[in-house]
Amino acid sequence: MMAVSSACKEGSKVIMDNGKYVRYTPEQVEALERLYHECPKPTSLRRQQLIRECPILSHIEPKQIKVWFQNRRCREKQRKEASRLQAVNRKLTAMNKLLMEENDRLQKQVSHLVYENSFFRQHTTQNQATLATADTSSESVVTSGQRNLTPRHPPRDASPAGLLSIAEETLADFLSKATGTAVEWVQMPGMKPGPDSIGIVAISHGCPGVAARACGLVGLEPARVAEILKDRLSWFRDCRTVDVLNMMPTANGGTIELLYMQLYAPTTLAPGRDFWLLRYTSLLEDGSLVVCERSLNNTQNGPTMPPVQHFVRADMMPSGYLIRPCEGGGSIIHIVDHMVLEPWSVPEVLRPLYESSMLLAQRTTMAALRHLRQISQEVSQPSVTGWGRRPVALRALSQRLSKGFNEAVNGFADDGWSMLESDGIDDVTLLVNSSPSKMMGVNLGYNNGFPSVTSSILCAKASMLLQNVPPALLVRFLREHRSEWADSSIDAYSAAAIKAGPCSLPVPQEGVFGAQVILPLAHTIEHEEFMEVIKLENMGYYRDDMTMPGDVFLLQLCSGVDEHGVGTSAELVFAPIDASFSDDAPILSSGFRIIPLDSGTDAVSPNRTLDLASALDVGTTGNKAGGDNSGYLGSTKSVMTIAFQFACEVHLQDSIATMARQYVRSIIASVQRVSLALSTSQFGSQNAFHLPNGTPEAQTLTRWICNSYRFYLGVELLKCDGNEPILKSLWHHSDAVLCCSLKALPVFTFANQAGLDMLETTLVALQDITIEKIFDDSGKKTLCSEFPQIMQQGFMCIEGGICLSSMGRPVSYERAVAWKVLNEEETAHCICFMFINWSFV
């Protein structure tokens, strides 16, 4: 065993090698350190070469140099591990401090509630005499109430002293919310406790407007945290613009700013919101940094901002950020968002969007905390991610994607959008934009924008209500099965429109959708959002009335697809890009946004299980309590917003408008069909599973499959005990089991979990896959030649080979078995295939 001693005072190093101490001179140590940094793990030949290049080490044995390198690597590992443990210890210490403070705040809140409860109890137990004297004292009560209605402070004005008075009052009100009991906070439903959680998140209960609060630890200094959070455009996706109209320093070293801020509307059915704000940045006596703000709408004689067309003026109650430095680096941050979003100005069905504190927490409060954690990780672990892009470049791309989609959804006139005439049906709205800023995009390099032949951008948008289908499930389906709703010819046209050169009107082509390949690009720390490149293979670009084969690339941003999230909105936004994937390429965002309308403050179980066996088990165990599935039980409503943008030429604008309107209507129809299928299969009566129309119940079909297998092959298909339902055993069977219909063009009607994984599909989309799509040419020939044998003999064993998933990926299998499934009348119901030991190639 070798050990390393400390350095001698003379600067020499002493190591122990087989019981011998070897002393190195400072010059030798310096040479060894230099060689270590050049090559930490040299081979024997490399060590000999290094010794030859460094004469001062020539008299040292190679074995001793090898031992020195080993010990040096051990010391390096120990140093890194010690540094890591110190960082973890600092983080745990800071989190413990945060939890203790939160516990103190909760104890204060409990004491306050106990006091109120005692007061109300005394009030309700007053005797008859006390109640009788209440009438005589009513005048004093009214007088007292009138005194309480007077403002605590004199009217404010626009002078520096008046603004400072407003700022100090805002600071006090904000601190009472962040660390006090001014607002009754309840834990955010569905939040995962533990050291890896985003932090402590709470929403308001019983206060005016909507409010959310978050506490967390980030590895950034307070000044840097404040700088990031004040730059709302960099992290708040719903923010359209923030203008600082005036700024003045204060005597205590702080700053007061007057801001005008605009927020995008999340749907096409409501106007955006704007705010006229005062923001106060100051340093507290304990070294904490505070950034707080509030609306100036209700201040008397204060600075004013006239109403802005197409926006509803909303109120921001005292809100902000309390940032405290942490020992050893980093910051503890408290975030409070409190707004009155004027829900009266939107249709009644959409008012839950503006009355939900949970939605405010997810889209604003938690977004700020996540952004800080993301930047902190990038600072501590700098790296280059997918396609050679650095995180800051990828964040800029995601911001452009999101901003482009929000601009399309809102269609503000000052951005250059104008509405086209309707065709008499108001389900789809068409807008056109020919402004130079829209055509140029951001740093576009195609001759100062799009090709000269492209003269405008056309947008088709619509909103629709959905019921009984979770946003995460629907967006995940739209992402994984693009061919179910997208038109390949329009994808090819959109890709060609951003290239230099004329492109003609797309010609619809049924059934020509190329294989979809998803190439991961980047994701956030908690994987709640990820960016990817979609490669649509074997597509065609339409130029000069000719179809040119090629691949289509889409840059795609997806969020909210975790089915365990409670009340979470989901988005799927994409834009065609060139294969070169340059940073300054034009981006025309299109996509979907789904926001739940029933996300309130009531706790909802996040333990929803979406697998078939769980859904079936509910239906087969009688009146089983649905506690595990309470997250999706009952009627759930959500609003879906669709917006698609197209670049077009002057002479094609009318034709593209007609095409865009029809395309969005076809997408709406596809979404309605998919939503109905998802709600039927996942959320039917008693949460039972339903196979496609015309098929037997799942339990009956499973029994037919197992009985027919035993009849034709003489062995049992499933090996399960008497307590486990055969349906559950079949669902969890390791081999892929698929059933196809006995039609001229057989389609799949049922598959277990392994079968769905092999085909890379879902139960809803399974019925649209024909059997010929999964076999290559040799497999099709084998199937056609042996199919009569299956019908006559009842079964067939197939040698191993290759088949294809619905995404076009090759799948190898060791062997396969096909057999005829007989129903109760002993007539053929379907053909069942079992692919044994399959795997993706």
Side-chain angles (χ1 to χ4, degrees):
M1 188 70 180
M2 295 172 292
V4 181
S5 75
S6 61
C8 295
K9 291 183 179 180
E10 294 81 7
S12 61
K13 295 276 185 174
V14 179
I15 69 169
M16 188 171 67
D17 179 17
N18 295 331
K20 290 184 178 181
Y21 284 93
V22 180
R23 186 179 298 273
Y24 297 105
T25 65
E27 292 78 11
Q28 290 174 336
V29 172
E30 182 180 355
L32 288 170
E33 289 284 352
R34 186 172 62 253
L35 295 178
Y36 175 79
H37 289 293
E38 292 177 359
C39 187
K41 295 182 179 180
T43 62
S44 299
L45 294 176
R46 178 58 177 156
R47 276 198 300 271
Q48 294 176 7
Q49 181 183 358
L50 293 174
I51 293 172
R52 287 195 300 269
E53 294 175 356
C54 189
I56 197 173
L57 302 177
S58 58
H59 67 282
I60 302 177
E61 297 181 5
K63 183 178 180 181
Q64 292 177 352
I65 294 181
K66 177 182 178 181
V67 171
W68 190 93
F69 269 80
Q70 290 175 345
N71 285 319
R72 183 65 176 81
R73 286 195 295 270
C74 289
R75 293 198 302 272
E76 186 74 16
K77 290 180 181 179
Q78 291 172 355
R79 185 189 64 80
K80 290 181 178 180
E81 182 65 14
S83 177
R84 188 188 67 83
L85 291 175
Q86 289 174 1
V88 170
N89 185 57
R90 288 194 300 266
K91 179 179 179 181
L92 292 176
T93 302
M95 290 300 295
N96 182 59
K97 180 181 178 181
L98 182 62
L99 290 173
M100 290 176 63
E101 292 175 352
E102 183 69 8
N103 184 56
D104 292 340
R105 189 194 66 81
L106 291 174
Q107 287 180 350
K108 292 179 183 178
Q109 184 172 339
V110 168
S111 300
H112 182 70
L113 293 174
V114 169
Y115 173 78
E116 285 187 344
N117 185 46
S118 175
F119 173 79
F120 286 124
R121 183 174 296 175
Q122 280 185 349
H123 185 71
T124 55
T125 56
Q126 286 178 346
N127 54 30
Q128 291 283 339
T130 305
L131 294 174
T133 59
D135 293 335
T136 62
S137 61
S138 60
E139 183 177 352
S140 63
V141 173
V142 173
T143 305
S144 175
Q146 290 175 347
R147 286 198 300 268
N148 290 335
L149 289 176
T150 59
R152 291 183 298 165
H153 301 281
R156 308 305 187 202
D157 54 31
S159 66
L163 292 177
L164 180 59
S165 178
I166 297 174
E168 292 292 346
E169 181 182 348
T170 303
L171 173 62
D173 290 343
F174 160 68
L175 291 177
S176 67
K177 296 176 184 179
T179 60
T181 58
V183 173
E184 181 181 349
W185 301 108
V186 296
Q187 184 179 357
M188 173 87 165
M191 289 301 297
K192 302 175 183 177
D196 295 329
S197 65
I198 187 175
I200 303 171
V201 183
I203 54 179
S204 64
H205 176 69
C207 76
V210 291
R213 173 180 175 270
C215 311
L217 176 67
V218 294
L220 299 170
E221 295 304 315
R224 176 62 174 150
V225 172
E227 178 187 355
I228 293 172
L229 292 176
K230 290 171 74 171
D231 184 15
R232 267 197 177 93
L233 290 174
S234 68
W235 59 267
F236 189 20
R237 298 286 176 82
D238 292 342
C239 185
R240 183 184 183 227
T241 183
V242 177
D243 295 324
V244 180
L245 303 182
N246 194 7
M247 182 172 64
M248 56 173 284
T250 61
N252 58 4
T255 57
I256 295 177
E257 300 166 281
L258 299 183
L259 311 177
Y260 175 67
M261 180 174 69
Q262 292 179 346
L263 301 185
Y264 291 109
T267 73
T268 63
L269 304 174
R273 296 297 188 263
D274 66 348
F275 298 85
W276 171 230
L277 302 172
L278 177 145
R279 182 165 69 191
Y280 181 37
T281 305
S282 64
L283 195 65
L284 301 184
E285 294 180 356
D286 62 355
S288 300
L289 185 61
V290 177
V291 180
C292 58
E293 51 195 7
R294 60 159 292 180
S295 288
L296 292 173
N297 298 357
N298 299 323
T299 57
Q300 300 180 18
N301 302 322
T304 60
M305 168 66 69
V308 178
Q309 190 178 11
H310 305 304
F311 285 91
V312 173
R313 183 63 49 85
D315 269 344
M316 180 178 289
M317 313 300 282
S319 307
Y321 317 105
L322 170 62
I323 311 162
R324 293 183 296 177
C326 247
E327 295 182 5
S331 305
I332 296 176
I333 180 170
H334 296 253
I335 303 176
V336 173
D337 290 301
H338 190 178
M339 302 179 183
V340 179
L341 297 174
E342 308 297 343
W344 57 266
S345 63
V346 301
E348 186 174 357
V349 69
L350 294 182
R351 288 182 185 175
L353 297 183
Y354 298 85
E355 297 172 342
S356 171
S357 294
M358 185 184 296
L359 198 61
L360 175 70
Q362 290 168 340
R363 297 186 69 88
T364 307
T365 314
M366 294 171 65
L369 201 51
R370 284 188 173 121
H371 184 73
L372 290 172
R373 294 185 68 201
Q374 187 73 31
I375 293 182
S376 175
Q377 185 192 51
E378 293 170 4
V379 170
S380 61
Q381 302 174 8
S383 62
V384 176
T385 55
W387 292 38
R389 261 42 176 201
R390 293 194 174 274
V392 62
L394 293 176
R395 275 205 313 274
L397 281 174
S398 65
Q399 281 288 113
R400 290 179 60 193
L401 268 175
S402 183
K403 183 177 179 64
F405 182 71
N406 279 323
E407 288 180 350
V409 169
N410 287 262
F412 292 119
D414 56 354
D415 283 336
W417 292 102
S418 58
M419 187 177 298
L420 297 180
E421 293 184 4
S422 171
D423 62 349
I425 306 176
D426 295 330
D427 56 340
V428 178
T429 302
L430 288 184
L431 304 173
V432 65
N433 193 329
S434 302
S435 63
S437 60
K438 181 65 178 176
M439 300 305 300
M440 290 173 61
V442 180
N443 297 325
L444 294 182
Y446 293 83
N447 191 21
N448 293 328
F450 287 91
S452 58
V453 294
T454 302
S455 62
S456 61
I457 304 297
L458 192 140
C459 174
K461 60 181 183 177
S463 291
M464 57 186 295
L465 294 176
L466 303 173
Q467 283 192 329
N468 300 330
V469 56
L473 187 63
L474 181 54
V475 166
R476 193 164 67 245
F477 180 90
L478 295 174
R479 170 182 174 263
E480 296 174 355
H481 303 280
R482 187 178 182 86
S483 60
E484 294 294 324
W485 55 269
D487 188 324
S488 60
S489 61
I490 294 180
D491 282 333
Y493 168 81
S494 299
I498 65 170
K499 291 176 173 288
C503 53
S504 60
L505 192 67
V507 179
Q509 292 187 336
E510 299 294 335
V512 191
F513 203 95
Q516 173 180 329
V517 179
I518 298 178
L519 307 173
L521 195 59
H523 60 79
T524 54
I525 298 177
E526 300 176 0
H527 295 261
E528 81 281 351
E529 179 180 280
F530 51 90
M531 191 158 54
E532 55 200 7
V533 173
I534 307 300
K535 181 182 179 182
L536 305 177
E537 298 177 333
N538 302 321
M539 306 287 286
Y541 291 109
Y542 296 90
R543 298 179 183 276
D544 301 325
D545 299 324
M546 295 178 61
T547 302
M548 301 178 64
D551 298 331
V552 170
F553 293 90
L554 303 174
L555 181 64
Q556 183 164 278
L557 185 69
C558 188
S559 62
V561 294
D562 180 12
E563 70 264 20
H564 300 294
V566 178
T568 307
S569 59
E571 291 187 14
L572 183 69
V573 180
F574 49 87
I577 58 173
D578 189 74
S580 62
F581 194 20
S582 58
D583 292 334
D584 58 353
I587 289 183
L588 286 183
S589 302
S590 303
F592 309 88
R593 173 183 292 149
I594 311 177
I595 307 177
L597 291 173
D598 50 4
S599 58
T601 58
D602 296 330
V604 184
S605 171
N607 299 322
R608 167 68 183 167
T609 305
L610 292 180
D611 60 84
L612 172 63
S614 299
L616 289 171
D617 194 40
V618 174
T620 58
T621 54
N623 297 327
K624 180 178 178 180
D628 292 340
N629 304 317
S630 59
Y632 292 143
L633 287 179
S635 176
T636 59
K637 295 180 180 179
S638 57
V639 58
M640 182 177 198
T641 300
I642 304 172
F644 279 75
Q645 297 189 77
F646 307 90
C648 60
E649 304 171 22
V650 175
H651 66 282
L652 290 178
Q653 180 170 305
D654 293 339
S655 301
I656 295 296
T658 303
M659 176 273 294
R661 185 180 282 113
Q662 294 174 351
Y663 185 45
V664 170
R665 284 173 179 163
S666 70
I667 291 175
I668 292 174
S670 299
V671 169
Q672 289 174 334
R673 175 179 59 84
V674 171
S675 301
L676 180 61
L678 289 173
S679 62
T680 301
S681 62
Q682 299 290 345
F683 315 103
S685 60
Q686 298 181 355
N687 243 18
F689 170 74
H690 297 277
L691 290 169
N693 293 333
T695 63
E697 293 297 330
Q699 286 282 1
T700 304
L701 178 59
T702 303
R703 189 174 67 253
W704 290 353
I705 292 172
C706 296
N707 291 343
S708 301
Y709 187 87
R710 185 193 314 113
F711 176 75
Y712 287 115
L713 284 86
V715 294
E716 293 290 343
L717 174 62
L718 304 174
K719 297 179 181 179
C720 57
D721 53 30
N723 297 327
E724 186 178 23
I726 60 171
L727 178 54
K728 188 174 182 180
S729 299
L730 180 65
W731 176 254
H732 292 293
H733 198 283
S734 59
D735 296 324
V737 179
L738 304 100
C739 293
C740 69
S741 60
L742 294 173
K743 297 180 179 179
L745 187 61
V747 295
F748 290 106
T749 58
F750 175 81
N752 65 350
Q753 181 64 67
L756 296 177
D757 293 341
M758 186 187 80
L759 295 182
E760 294 186 291
T761 187
T762 63
L763 286 167
V764 178
L766 181 68
Q767 57 186 313
D768 296 327
I769 302 176
T770 60
I771 192 172
E772 65 176 12
K773 285 184 179 181
I774 73 166
F775 287 106
D776 55 12
D777 292 338
S778 61
K780 292 177 183 177
K781 292 179 181 179
T782 302
L783 186 63
C784 292
S785 61
E786 300 295 340
F787 192 80
Q789 178 185 345
I790 302 176
M791 300 305 297
Q792 181 178 0
Q793 182 178 325
F795 72 98
M796 179 186 67
C797 295
I798 306 173
E799 296 181 357
I802 299 291
C803 63
L804 301 174
S805 73
S806 63
M807 309 288 284
R809 286 210 290 171
V811 180
S812 66
Y813 55 93
E814 185 177 301
R815 66 182 187 278
V817 180
W819 68 96
K820 184 167 57 175
V821 177
L822 304 178
N823 57 19
E824 304 290 355
E825 289 79 20
E826 296 188 356
T827 59
H829 173 73
C830 64
I831 298 294
C832 192
F833 291 86
M834 182 168 65
F835 295 87
I836 301 171
N837 294 336
W838 65 273
S839 63
F840 290 107
V841 178

